Amino acid sequence: MPRTVFDVPALNARQRDLEQLAAQPDFWDDQQNARKQMRQLDDVKAQLEQLRLWRAAIDDGRATLELYELEPDEGLLEESYGGLQSLKQALDRWELERLLSGTYDQEGAVITINAGAGGTDAQDWTLMLMRMYTRWAEAHGMKVAVAELSEGEEAGVKSCTLEVEGRYAYGYLRNEKGTHRLVRISPFNANDKRQTSFAGVEIMPLLDEEVKLDIPDKDLEITTSRSGGAGGQNVNKVETAVRILHVPTGLAVRCTQERSQLQNKEKAMALLKAKLMVIAQEQRAVEIADIRGDMVEAAWGNQIRNYVFHPYQMVKDLRTAEETTDVQGVMNGDLDPFIQALLRQGVDAVAEELP
């Protein structure tokens, strides 16, 4: 593998090796390993393509300036400036990705949102957050699938789970974990009173490979139910939805995405293992049995961000003090200022500790 970030000869050699490996007749016999190799190939191609685009932008800017020297034209300067601004934004994104060095930062993400205090307003708030994260992911070229959805009685959803497929999805989103607080005039209150609602967000890595954790059967409580909602006669008549509770910690996952109970059980088990693995890492627990349930529960109450729609408009992150009055932009998925502030905060904290 390349010893430096952009060792082009090494990247080209790595691409050739992986392409030759993928061309072997027995390549797909081991599908798990094949998918891993293909992800590495896609990653190498993405790095080389990024370099090509940067070089093309620099060449275009240089050519434009040479034309301007021969025949001054303000339009040419504006064109060159626009190209360089796009290049700067791309370099800023690349610099930010250098901060994503965690074990699972390059993986996709699983977002679970649960309605908290606030009744119907909280369920509506959960649906709003679901749309917000979906729009953020789609704006970054990522794919989003709904793995679980439990609708509210009047409006919104009680809970939902989104699977986000995209490079660095988990790294970008992992700091979204916590309680999100909404203040607004309730559309469900006949007296137009101001309502405060809460929703809890959990973030896990989306792992293609099977998570190898040994969880005793006695620690699991598995229940089934009808998925409900749209999805055909099978979904509404057969108990295909699966919920798995990890009794020692109180952690639970539910899956309704697949059409069979067995598939949903396998999916739910994979989600539970990923969740336990992340929490074990956070708590530095050597074994799953060492995870402290009280800390798992306490994480639910961590309020990280306020979304105020009334009496003024403001979204403020309580960890970084990053704020904006563009509430509508945030709800449409413009989360990058908050995500970047948190990532850079960690780097700034390390820099302050250095002598």
Side-chain angles (χ1 to χ4, degrees):
M1 291 296 291
R3 292 188 301 274
T4 60
V5 176
F6 288 121
D7 186 342
V8 179
L11 285 170
N12 284 323
R14 181 62 174 161
Q15 179 179 349
R16 288 193 298 270
D17 290 343
L18 289 169
E19 287 176 340
Q20 290 176 3
L21 183 64
Q24 299 300 313
D26 59 350
F27 178 71
W28 287 102
D29 288 353
D30 184 347
Q31 294 195 12
Q32 183 173 309
N33 182 65
R35 286 194 294 269
K36 180 180 179 180
Q37 299 296 334
M38 291 304 296
R39 285 198 303 273
Q40 291 184 16
L41 177 58
D42 289 341
D43 183 55
V44 170
K45 286 182 176 179
Q47 292 186 60
L48 290 171
E49 176 64 11
Q50 183 68 81
L51 278 171
R52 188 192 68 78
L53 291 173
W54 287 348
R55 285 170 172 166
I58 294 171
D59 291 342
D60 289 345
R62 184 182 292 114
T64 302
L65 289 176
E66 290 174 355
L67 285 173
Y68 181 81
E69 290 178 355
L70 295 174
E71 186 177 345
D73 183 347
E74 293 302 316
L76 287 174
L77 278 183
E78 291 181 6
E79 179 184 341
S80 179
Y81 178 77
L84 291 176
Q85 282 296 103
S86 297
L87 176 60
K88 181 181 181 301
Q89 292 173 2
L91 288 170
D92 286 343
R93 285 195 300 272
W94 172 82
E95 181 186 24
L96 197 64
E97 288 178 357
R98 298 311 97 196
L99 305 178
L100 303 177
S101 57
T103 306
Y104 309 109
D105 280 356
Q106 292 193 37
E107 305 295 342
V110 178
I111 308 172
T112 300
I113 312 172
N114 292 288
T120 301
D121 278 277
Q123 294 174 12
D124 189 49
W125 176 224
T126 301
L127 179 60
M128 292 167 66
L129 289 175
M130 175 182 170
R131 290 171 177 164
M132 181 184 75
Y133 287 118
T134 298
R135 289 168 180 168
W136 176 86
E138 291 175 347
H140 288 74
M142 300 180 185
K143 296 180 181 179
V144 182
V146 179
E148 183 272 329
L149 182 69
S150 178
E151 297 181 351
E153 286 84 0
E154 294 183 43
V157 296
K158 296 177 182 177
S159 66
C160 66
T161 299
L162 303 176
E163 293 184 351
V164 182
E165 293 185 24
R167 194 162 177 258
Y168 290 113
Y170 178 71
Y172 282 124
L173 293 171
R174 55 181 159 83
N175 290 321
E176 292 297 298
K177 174 184 176 183
T179 301
H180 296 243
R181 174 175 175 261
L182 169 68
V183 180
R184 67 171 178 176
I185 298 295
S186 172
F188 306 102
N189 189 302
N191 298 320
D192 292 333
K193 288 186 177 180
R194 190 169 64 184
Q195 175 79 28
T196 300
S197 309
F198 299 87
V201 175
E202 297 179 34
I203 308 292
M204 299 173 288
L206 178 60
L207 303 176
D208 289 335
E209 298 179 11
E210 183 180 351
V211 180
K212 296 180 180 179
L213 290 178
D214 184 19
I215 305 177
D217 291 339
K218 64 180 179 62
D219 289 348
L220 300 176
E221 185 179 293
I222 302 175
T223 55
T224 61
S225 63
R226 296 180 185 179
S227 294
Q233 294 180 351
N234 182 64
V235 170
N236 294 316
K237 292 183 178 180
V238 182
E239 292 190 344
T240 57
V242 175
R243 180 180 184 270
I244 302 180
L245 171 68
H246 185 246
V247 178
T249 61
L251 286 171
V253 295
R254 185 171 182 266
C255 187
T256 62
Q257 180 182 9
E258 306 298 337
R259 293 186 60 83
S260 78
Q261 187 182 113
L262 178 60
Q263 289 175 316
N264 278 324
K265 182 180 178 181
E266 292 175 348
K267 192 94 172 179
M269 197 65 196
L271 289 174
L272 178 63
K273 287 181 177 180
K275 183 181 290 191
L276 286 168
M277 182 178 58
V278 171
I279 294 174
Q281 189 178 48
E282 290 175 351
Q283 297 183 6
R284 294 181 171 84
V286 178
E287 301 290 342
I288 294 300
D290 295 333
I291 294 178
R292 284 164 286 172
D294 57 336
M295 288 189 67
V296 173
E297 185 66 25
W300 167 261
N302 291 337
Q303 187 172 312
I304 64 167
R305 192 174 300 146
N306 289 328
Y307 304 73
V308 182
F309 290 18
H310 183 85
Y312 55 89
Q313 293 200 332
M314 177 75 71
V315 179
K316 182 173 182 177
D317 196 290
L318 304 181
R319 300 162 295 180
T320 62
E322 181 74 23
E323 62 183 41
T324 179
T325 57
D326 185 13
V327 172
Q328 194 58 48
V330 172
M331 299 315 300
N332 283 328
D334 186 12
L335 296 172
D336 285 346
F338 299 105
I339 291 172
Q340 293 178 17
L342 278 160
L343 289 173
R344 297 187 189 282
Q345 184 184 62
V347 175
D348 294 341
V350 172
E352 289 175 2
E353 294 175 1
L354 294 175

